[in-house]
Amino acid sequence: MQTSGARAHNWAGNITFGAARLHRPRSLDELRHIVAGAQRAHVLGSGHSFNRIADTEGDLLRVDGLPQRVEIDEAGGTVTLSAGLRYGELATELHAAGFALANLASLPHISVAGSVATGTHGSGNERRGLASAVTAMEFVGADGETFTLSRESDPGRFPGAVVHLGALGVVTALTLEVEPAFEVAQWVYPGVPVGTVAAGYPEISASAYSVSVFTDWHSDTATVLLKRRLDREEAGHPGERWLGGRLTTEPWHPIPGMPATYCTEQGGVPGPWHERLPHFRPEFTPSGGEELQSELFLPRSSAGEAVGLLREMAADFAGVLQVSEIRTIAAEDLWLSPAEGRDSVAFHFTWVKDMAAVLPVLAAVEARLLPLGARPHWGKVTAATPATVAERFPRLADFRRLADSLDPEGCFRNAYLDGLLAATP
């Protein structure tokens, strides 16, 4: 086991965790021993969060040192994996066995367990977030004992436990739904007027298996990225000109000036699902963490109005925003999913790494989008108060009761969760 008193940082380097100790246990017994002896403990995944959701003043745990598991149940259509695995690692093994996940996030570098815990997602009108693939989870509780929750055996609690913010225990393994492997091709259309996006977003988001719209807002143009699943959709692209944009054959990176070699292959070249659904290749670090991120989830019916409101703020984004991405997520039943109960559209903002410059602009963005029903991403920067965030999630009070029942002493709480749950109506 590795234990250190050195301070840990998140991926972007804007957060220095306050934990007294950082542990990387090598066995389940070591993990159970640490948790049983801790007054407060929390898990740090791949560190791709931009706030203090993973912080603790007690014992910070990493589970990527535990023995790796990838156990495919072909008959049941599932895979059980150790919580420390990253999506890129899991996808490689799944594809080699002829299987796939239905959805992936932009980055294959992020941990499966951490992504699930915070409601992270991919894109597509019919694609639910990554957490909706989970059918069972194994935990170590505050007493050091293990327990399992599953959709089949715990239908009342399970939807509340999947997106759990680290408040229920230490996840050691997850079981996910899988399907047969498939191929995807992607095409890039720069030069689409933002006004066209506002007027025609429902048609744009429905035009492929996965669709992303990128803009910096102040240029008043957008780039549309189409990812078509070749066993379900027509193999070709919509045409050389589409929506006022022109199909590009040049490799493209969402952030101007970044090497396009970091990105998965474009230009309509067919490839395996795990080499096309993410925006970035697992062998590259796409930006080195030199950024801050925010994301707001709105009812999908508000997409056009939200685009119009952000377009009015165009001048405010200059010099502060690197790029913004718009994607869709299908409704989920998971209590703390930002897409719970409604088909959603997510507005993602990749900011410069300057919190003092970003927060006033972010506050202005939220002032426009919160009245439309926006919910902030759990792992990203928000200017909203805990009370404002809490009122956006109708099942948060139910989640607090679930957390109290599984962790009555609050071992897995931290300042972030204390503030959030105290503000719960």
Side-chain angles (χ1 to χ4, degrees):
M1 177 176 66
Q2 295 178 344
T3 298
S4 172
R7 297 295 189 189
H9 301 268
N10 67 337
W11 176 79
N14 67 303
I15 298 292
T16 300
F17 297 110
R21 293 162 296 278
L22 173 63
H23 305 278
R24 191 168 181 256
R26 298 289 189 177
S27 69
L28 181 60
D29 284 344
E30 288 182 354
L31 172 62
R32 293 174 59 187
H33 177 75
I34 294 166
V35 173
Q39 290 188 325
R40 282 216 161 179
H42 214 78
V43 177
L44 174 64
S46 48
H48 198 263
S49 57
F50 297 81
N51 58 31
R52 294 196 172 274
I53 193 169
D55 202 4
T56 181
E57 68 272 24
D59 292 273
L60 194 62
L61 297 157
R62 297 193 61 169
V63 295
D64 57 351
L66 297 177
Q68 289 196 357
R69 296 171 60 188
V70 178
E71 301 163 2
I72 299 172
D73 178 355
E74 296 189 14
T78 62
V79 60
T80 298
L81 60 133
S82 48
L85 279 180
R86 300 174 186 241
Y87 274 101
E89 297 167 328
L90 172 63
T92 299
E93 295 211 29
L94 276 181
H95 186 73
F99 291 95
L101 300 173
N103 200 1
L104 286 172
S106 299
L107 288 172
H109 312 71
I110 55 180
S111 71
V112 177
S115 303
V116 166
T118 54
T120 298
H121 61 97
S123 180
N125 277 5
E126 308 302 322
R127 312 283 82 73
R128 296 175 298 168
L130 304 180
S132 278
V134 179
T135 63
M137 305 175 76
E138 300 173 12
F139 292 85
V140 170
D143 58 0
E145 298 300 314
T146 59
F147 66 94
T148 299
L149 296 174
S150 75
R151 185 173 288 278
E152 181 178 0
S153 61
D154 303 280
R157 297 188 296 173
F158 188 75
V162 182
V163 180
H164 55 85
L165 314 185
L168 306 183
V170 179
V171 176
T172 55
L174 308 93
T175 300
L176 311 180
E177 296 172 332
V178 297
E179 60 184 83
F182 55 90
E183 287 199 329
V184 174
Q186 57 181 332
W187 293 268
V188 180
Y189 284 87
V192 177
V194 172
T196 300
V197 176
Y201 188 75
E203 293 75 21
I204 294 170
S205 68
S207 60
Y209 187 81
S210 174
V211 178
S212 292
V213 176
F214 293 88
T215 182
D216 60 8
W217 298 108
H218 56 83
S219 68
D220 209 32
T221 61
T223 297
V224 180
L225 178 61
L226 301 179
K227 299 174 187 274
R228 287 187 167 171
R229 179 167 169 167
L230 301 185
D231 63 335
R232 293 187 181 178
E233 301 172 288
E234 60 183 87
H237 55 72
E240 295 298 323
R241 296 193 67 86
W242 182 59
L243 303 173
R246 182 183 291 275
L247 180 68
T248 181
T249 58
E250 297 297 321
W252 171 85
H253 192 290
I255 299 177
M258 294 295 292
T261 51
Y262 291 177
C263 298
T264 52
E265 190 163 3
Q266 303 154 6
V269 179
W273 58 282
H274 66 298
E275 295 180 1
R276 295 295 183 273
L277 289 179
H279 296 335
F280 302 104
R281 301 173 188 260
E283 63 267 29
F284 293 105
T285 300
S287 62
E290 289 302 313
E291 61 189 51
L292 301 174
Q293 293 183 11
S294 301
E295 190 166 31
L296 296 166
F297 297 70
L298 284 74
R300 198 178 301 170
S301 58
S302 299
E305 183 178 359
V307 170
L309 291 172
L310 293 171
R311 192 180 182 196
E312 293 173 1
M313 290 184 61
D316 297 337
F317 290 114
V320 181
L321 182 71
Q322 297 189 54
V323 73
S324 184
E325 182 180 9
I326 311 170
R327 292 178 287 176
T328 54
I329 308 95
E332 303 181 298
D333 68 346
L334 307 178
W335 297 356
L336 295 193
S337 166
E340 187 273 328
R342 67 192 194 190
D343 290 335
S344 298
V345 58
F347 288 80
H348 183 279
F349 303 88
T350 298
W351 308 100
V352 300
K353 192 175 173 182
D354 183 343
M355 190 70 78
V358 166
L359 279 178
V361 181
L362 175 57
V365 168
E366 292 181 336
R368 287 163 172 80
L369 299 190
L370 288 175
L372 300 183
R375 296 169 178 167
H377 189 295
W378 292 113
K380 302 185 188 296
V381 179
T382 179
T385 66
T388 298
V389 174
E391 68 185 10
R392 307 273 145 185
F393 291 85
R395 302 299 302 272
L396 191 56
D398 295 326
F399 177 79
R400 181 179 61 189
R401 287 187 284 272
L402 176 62
D404 287 344
S405 69
L406 293 175
D407 180 24
E409 300 300 320
C411 174
F412 301 109
R413 305 284 175 88
N414 56 20
Y416 180 102
L417 290 166
D418 287 340
L420 176 70
L421 297 181
T424 304

